[in-house]
Amino acid sequence: MEKGYFHEVRCLGADGQPVISMVPVVQELARQGLKYLPERFIREKMDAPPFSSNVGEGEEGPPVINMHNLNNDAEAEHRAMELAKLAKVAKEWGVFFIKHNGIPLDLLNSLQDMVKGFFSLSFEDKKESVGSYAGTDNLGYGRTFIKSDDQRLDWIDRLSMRAAPKNSTLGLHVWPTNPKDFRTVMEKYVEEARKICDELLQALAEALRLDAKSFLRYLEPSESIVNVRVNYYPPCPRPDLAMGQSSHSDGSVLTLLAQFGETDGLEVFKEAHWVRLAFPPEALVVVVGDFLEIMSNGILESPRHRAVTHKDKERFSIALFYNPPLRAEIEPVKELGTGEIRYKKVVMGDYLKHYYDVQPGKGKQAIRFAKV
Ligand SMILES: O=C(O)CCC(=O)C(=O)O
Ligand SMILES: [Fe+2]
């Protein structure tokens, strides 16, 4: 391989012993203008991208939810209609767009400047800006879900941080110090995003005719956990052979996804097809996570989803994962328990440990841990 920049990732070698795997920094490969795809990024046929179909707003894609109408002050009739729409899309897709979400446009623009500012730094400056990698490889600047030295790699670089509870550093220095305002801006965004998640969790419970607090009661503001992950997919020499992010479901209650610009890339698995979602301008995406699947006794299912890459275009997405504290015990809502109970009570921390143990898995492997 060319003169290289590498993420050093602790994982297991062929003999099962811990090794440091040298994972190429994808952005640096793209900066070198590679014309071919290095072998470690070539995917097996089965999960290669070509089986996708494209859908946009108003076609067969998931309808856009208008947050104005979900507001408690909205006209009763409008609210009831929006709740019905929400129930339908959440059940059928497990993923949907929201508009009129109340996040000021200038905040989203500043966030974009911060994120792009960080990724425009040299590799050395990024390392200096972030300070340290996480002990496990799921926080900090680098790579997630590298399990073995010979694993096929996604075409992605990442920056992951814990944004709540506030000031929970876990002893890590994962917040960039350059750009200077990165943390302040991201924390402002997280504050707004969290309000949206709370409103949605209340609305989802009502949409399923449950007590409004059924899901929210796990997410006490001072204790709940917000992890933010910036996904950067640089231009890729062979999008037909590579994957930006492999098929997975999210280890969250809800995930709120923002992307910059209109370059698509998110695909959802529905009725045996990968469906490429076109982002309406200024919309955010909401993804049902594994914990909401458990709480709703499978009435809502966390969708398998993945991200593809483009030949000449880069793409950024910001995923915000919203979760109760690690000691919380999650179980199907009691009111749903009149029929068959399909999920066991799980401790958040135990489930997440399992989730990280099986990732990168084949789609929805982790949830089996919670199935009765
Ligand atoms: O980049 C995307 O659109 C998908 C990101 C995602 O699914 C994740 O980070 O969990
Ligand atoms: Fe995801």
Side-chain angles (χ1 to χ4, degrees), residues 229 245 248-250 255 287 305 321:
R229 186 156 81 199
Q245 194 170 154
H248 66 283
S249 64
D250 289 344
T255 306
V287 185
H305 57 285
F321 303 97

Side-chain angles (χ1 to χ4, degrees), residues 72-102:
N72 286 324
D73 304 331
E75 230 175 90
E77 193 187 335
H78 289 163
R79 188 157 192 272
M81 273 168 63
E82 205 69 27
L83 284 176
K85 191 164 148 190
L86 178 66
K88 189 166 181 321
V89 70
K91 284 183 198 166
E92 287 178 3
W93 286 84
V95 54
F96 51 91
F97 294 102
I98 54 169
K99 64 178 183 186
H100 298 310
N101 45 59

Side-chain angles (χ1 to χ4, degrees), residues 158 229 231 233 245 248 250 257 265-266 305 307 315 317 319 321:
R158 287 179 146 161
R229 186 156 81 199
N231 300 305
Y233 311 98
Q245 194 170 154
H248 66 283
D250 289 344
L257 207 58
L266 174 64
H305 57 285
R315 177 170 176 262
S317 71
F321 303 97

Side-chain angles (χ1 to χ4, degrees), residues 27-28 31 112-127 129 141 157 159 176 178-179 182 230 232 314 316:
Q27 181 176 15
E28 297 300 332
R31 276 176 173 164
Q112 174 164 197
D113 291 345
M114 293 301 120
V115 164
K116 290 195 171 170
F118 175 78
F119 276 93
S120 70
L121 299 175
S122 67
F123 180 64
E124 292 82 1
D125 287 348
K126 283 193 197 79
K127 299 262 293 185
S129 165
Y141 166 58
D157 288 320
L159 172 66
N178 179 12
F182 188 104
V230 178
Y232 177 44
E314 62 180 12
F316 288 92

